Amino acid sequence: MDLNSFEESAYVNAPVALCYQCWRNFDCLPSVFHNVKHVEALGDDVWRWHLLGSHEHESFWDLLLSRDVPDRLISWRTLSGPGLEMAVDIHFDRLD
């Protein structure tokens, strides 16, 4: 891992399919992340995330859904936004 990356894990006591569905339904993410005001589909796997930052500053990121493997993986990367390039992989694994 380099200085510009990080890894985070969460263990959720719920079925993998349910967790995947929650993450894959981007419209529901504002109920999970307090700084996400809303997410809108722009078409062709591109989504605009409207964010609320410090001092009520609003910004947005356009993200491309780059990989989608049901119940296993969701990946996206930024196309535009406030000067921050990022790529995110969310893995869903059973822990039994």
Side-chain angles (χ1 to χ4, degrees), residues 33-76:
F33 298 104
H34 69 277
N35 63 329
V36 177
K37 288 186 66 171
H38 67 278
V39 180
E40 65 181 300
L42 299 180
D44 296 327
D45 291 327
V46 177
W47 299 80
R48 178 164 290 161
W49 291 42
H50 294 264
L51 307 169
L52 187 60
S54 60
H55 306 293
E56 302 297 312
H57 174 75
E58 292 186 39
S59 61
F60 68 88
W61 279 322
D62 289 344
L63 301 168
L64 172 67
L65 179 65
S66 53
R67 287 189 67 199
D68 185 8
V69 181
D71 298 343
R72 298 291 301 156
L73 173 71
I74 298 172
S75 298
W76 66 77

Side-chain angles (χ1 to χ4, degrees), residues 11-45:
Y11 301 99
V12 179
N13 187 17
V16 168
L18 178 62
C19 294
Y20 166 82
Q21 290 169 4
C22 288
W23 273 96
R24 182 58 180 88
N25 185 354
F26 295 144
D27 294 331
C28 291
L29 291 180
S31 66
V32 177
F33 298 104
H34 69 277
N35 63 329
V36 177
K37 288 186 66 171
H38 67 278
V39 180
E40 65 181 300
L42 299 180
D44 296 327
D45 291 327

